[in-house]
């Protein structure tokens, strides 16, 4: 077969590699322009509080409204942004938009929503990151308690002075810190006592196979892990959010075991701000006492 292809096999390989790099280079240049032209948009996914049945929080998730390709998901451009350093400008733009939106919900309703923003380690390594956050909160007129920052386990294992100092400053300001994708990162839990973490977000890998019968199945390791994370978080005075909740059976398991909040397609997909506001209004209506 290889003989039959001869030199053409190699030709094909270089052609597709070239096509790939061209595409990647094009996307990189377009992303730079997207930052200048304000093509990034932020969608919001609700977090449902289980004991009150209220939406009290949202995760801000970036999307790129590309002029020709349409809406591009972060899986296609966050890595490019990380590799080129554009993640710092991108992350800043997301923070500004998310804080402005949170301020609108806080001051104008329909309800105060704590907005959680994902951070890159490159942002946290910046010397004046905490001061930049203070500036953003002030110009948006948002109380610090309404902002949450989502970090990953690996970010807290860096032992960099800038990271440690930023985190301490953010906590003093009253900003909440969450660990994203909890359980999939590094095995050491030591950082949990070194850093002022308020929330653990259980990775969806542990949630996807759960169902209402998981409890009775001794071989269900996911169920055991989820119960253990909830128990550990609560004994450390932390909140627990389950990510990627798609099915009613998963919700009932999480409810039964005292998980504080859930996030996932079962509640809602990430929505543009206007759709999120509409969802809040619908929820308020559904919960209001019926008028005679
Ligand atoms: P993440 O922070 O873990 O965000 C959760 C991801 O899971 C989101 O994907 C969300 O749409 C998706 N998701 C939510 N519910 C479900 C569900 O029930 N089932 C499944 N299968 N998926 C669900 P998205 O929006 O594509 O974002 C992917 C990742 O990109 C995020 O993972 C985060 O790591 C990163 N990201 C997004 N926005 C930003 C940002 O502004 N800055 C940085 N640095 N990273 C971001
Ligand atoms: Mg996240
Ligand atoms: Mg996550
Ligand atoms: Mg993730």
């Amino acid at each position: 077969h290889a003989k039959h292809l001869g030199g053409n096999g190699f030709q094909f390989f270089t052609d597709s590699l070239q096509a790939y790099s061209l595409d990647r280079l094009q996307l990189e240049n377009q992303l730079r322009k997207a930052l200048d032209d304000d093509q990034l948009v932020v969608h919001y996914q609700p977090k449902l509080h289980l004991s009150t049945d209220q939406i009290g929080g949202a995760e801000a998730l970036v999307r790129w409204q590309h002029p020709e390709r349409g809406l591009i998901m972060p899986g296609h451009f966050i890595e490019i942004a990380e590799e080129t350093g554009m993640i710092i400008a991108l992350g800043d733009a997301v923070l500004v938009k998310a804080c402005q939106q949170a301020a609108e919900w806080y001051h104008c309703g329909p309800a105060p929503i704590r907005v959680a923003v994902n951070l890159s380690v490159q942002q946290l390594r910046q010397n004046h990151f905490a001061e930049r956050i203070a500036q953003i909160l002030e110009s948006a007129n948002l109380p610090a308690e309404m902002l949450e920052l989502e970090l990953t386990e690996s970010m807290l294992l860096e032992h960099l002075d800038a990271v440690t100092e930023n985190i301490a400053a953010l906590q003093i300001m009253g900003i909440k810190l969450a660990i994203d994708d909890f359980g999939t990162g590094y095995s050491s839990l030591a950082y949990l006592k070194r850093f002022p973490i308020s929330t653990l977000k259980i990775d969806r890998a542990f949630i996807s196979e759960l169902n209402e019968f998981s409890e009775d199945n001794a071989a269900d390791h996911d169920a055991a892990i989820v119960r253990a994370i909830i128990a550990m978080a609560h004994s450390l005075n932390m909140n627990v959010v389950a990510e990627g909740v798609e099915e009613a059976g998963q919700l009932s398991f999480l409810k039964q075991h005292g998980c504080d909040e859930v996030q996932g397609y079962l509640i809602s997909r990430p929505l543009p701000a206007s759709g999120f506001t509409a969802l809040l209004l619908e929820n308020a209506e559904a919960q209001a006492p019926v008028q005679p």
Side-chain angles (χ1 to χ4, degrees):
H1 192 65
K3 199 174 171 190
H4 169 73
L5 278 175
N8 290 333
F10 183 69
Q11 186 60 46
F12 173 77
F13 174 73
T14 49
D15 280 355
S16 58
L17 190 69
Q18 217 158 43
Y20 168 80
S21 340
L22 268 181
D23 193 60
R24 146 87 208 219
L25 197 64
Q26 195 180 41
L27 216 57
E28 186 179 320
N29 288 330
Q30 290 176 343
L31 184 58
R32 199 161 279 122
K33 188 168 182 323
L35 287 166
D36 288 339
D37 294 359
D38 200 25
Q39 291 169 13
L40 298 179
V41 292
V42 180
H43 284 188
Y44 299 88
Q45 187 177 36
K47 298 180 188 177
L48 182 72
H49 207 273
L50 291 180
S51 64
T52 59
D53 214 27
Q54 301 271 0
I55 296 167
E59 178 171 6
L61 294 158
V62 68
R63 276 95 181 86
W64 174 7
Q65 189 62 63
H66 191 284
E68 290 115 37
R69 301 190 193 194
L71 200 68
I72 307 183
M73 301 302 273
H76 293 101
F77 61 89
I78 287 288
E79 205 180 296
I80 297 180
E82 290 273 2
E83 288 169 10
T84 54
M86 283 189 267
I87 193 72
I88 295 192
L90 183 154
D92 195 83
V94 172
L95 277 163
V96 169
K97 286 176 198 289
C99 287
Q100 285 170 348
Q101 185 55 57
E104 191 184 313
W105 284 322
Y106 183 81
H107 297 289
C108 312
I113 297 297
R114 176 181 291 147
V115 174
V117 178
N118 293 285
L119 289 189
S120 155
V121 70
Q122 295 188 52
Q123 291 173 281
L124 215 50
R125 284 184 195 138
Q126 291 177 287
N127 278 323
H128 301 289
F129 181 68
E131 282 136 74
R132 174 62 186 144
I133 293 277
Q135 224 175 48
I136 292 172
L137 290 172
E138 195 185 297
S139 32
N141 190 20
L142 182 70
E145 310 77 61
M146 301 311 288
L147 177 63
E148 183 166 63
L149 298 173
E150 294 193 4
L151 319 175
T152 55
E153 294 170 83
S154 59
M155 288 160 94
L156 300 178
L157 295 174
E158 287 232 333
H159 293 282
L160 268 179
D161 286 348
V163 170
T164 309
E165 281 160 22
N166 278 323
I167 289 178
L170 293 167
Q171 196 230 355
I172 290 168
M173 286 161 62
I175 291 162
K176 302 278 180 248
L177 299 176
I179 303 296
D180 205 355
D181 308 335
F182 185 76
T184 60
Y186 292 72
S187 52
S188 165
L189 293 175
Y191 69 85
L192 288 179
K193 71 175 188 191
R194 284 202 298 123
F195 291 108
I197 305 302
S198 55
T199 303
L200 298 184
K201 297 189 73 181
I202 308 176
D203 192 79
R204 71 165 181 267
F206 302 113
I207 306 297
S208 59
E209 320 245 293
L210 289 184
N211 57 54
E212 61 265 61
F213 310 114
S214 293
E215 185 58 53
D216 310 319
N217 181 358
D220 195 328
H221 292 160
D222 287 334
I225 291 169
V226 168
R227 280 198 310 256
I229 295 176
I230 294 172
M232 180 183 71
H234 286 167
S235 51
L236 292 169
N237 267 321
M238 295 173 185
N239 276 320
V240 195
V241 180
E243 295 192 276
V245 177
E246 296 182 352
E247 290 161 19
Q250 297 162 355
L251 179 64
S252 78
F253 179 92
L254 293 161
K255 223 177 219 171
Q256 201 181 324
H257 290 94
C259 184
D260 302 293
E261 288 176 276
V262 291
Q263 181 184 344
Y265 296 163
L266 180 70
I267 316 305
S268 165
R269 296 207 167 235
L271 300 167
S274 59
F276 194 97
T277 302
L279 184 73
L280 290 175
L281 290 169
E282 256 171 54
N283 261 45
E285 213 162 279
Q287 297 201 339
V290 178
Q291 296 298 313

